[in-house]
């Protein structure tokens, strides 16, 4: 009886493998989604740490999780502002952002900010590895913030 169960188990395993394996590699159902659908799924993830960790899974996921449609960037060093999702200053990025958007502020240098009110839910993420690599300088000197 045990031998018969073992044989049936092996047969069902082989059938499962033959249906789910393509070129000897497993294709997860989520990877069958096209780029637009997968990017839409990623848009529901919190930027840090979930979307960041998602970018570490596959090359394709990295490309999609870091796509400019999911992040707005403030980068003073970019000269070509026709690049989608890139802005020269925080005030412009905030005015364009939709509730729930993430704004990545480039590391290096200071980002002067004055007369800005954020009245929508946004996530501001400072670039760089150390807290002082991204600095927002507010109009009142005592309001300096490190992101």
């Amino acid at each position: 009886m045990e031998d018969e169960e073992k044989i049936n188990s092996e047969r069902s395993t082989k059938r499962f493998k033959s249906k789910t394996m393509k070129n000897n590699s497993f294709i997860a159902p989520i990877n069958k989604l096209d780029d637009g659908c997968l990017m839409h799924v990623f848009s529901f993830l919190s930027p840090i740490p979930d979307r960041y960790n998602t970018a570490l899974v596959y090359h394709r996921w990295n490309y999609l999780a870091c796509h400019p449609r999911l992040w707005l960037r403030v980068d003073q060093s970019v000269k070509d502002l026709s690049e989608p999702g890139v802005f020269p200053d925080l005030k412009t990025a905030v005015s364009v952002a939709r509730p729930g958007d993430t704004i990545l502020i480039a590391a290096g240098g200071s980002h002067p900010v004055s007369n800005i009110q954020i009245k929508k839910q946004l996530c501001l993420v400072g670039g760089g590895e150390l807290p002082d690599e991204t600095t927002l300088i507010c109009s009142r000197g005592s309001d300096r913030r490190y992101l």
Side-chain angles (χ1 to χ4, degrees), residues 26-44:
F26 180 76
I27 297 177
I30 193 167
N31 284 325
K32 294 179 182 178
L33 295 174
D34 66 26
D35 288 355
C37 288
L38 200 52
M39 197 179 312
H40 184 70
V41 170
F42 292 166
S43 72
F44 291 101

Side-chain angles (χ1 to χ4, degrees), residues 69-84:
R69 277 183 36 200
L70 297 179
W71 303 82
L72 300 177
R73 280 186 16 229
V74 174
D75 193 343
Q76 298 168 335
S77 67
V78 173
K79 302 300 179 210
D80 180 16
L81 297 177
S82 66
E83 187 178 335

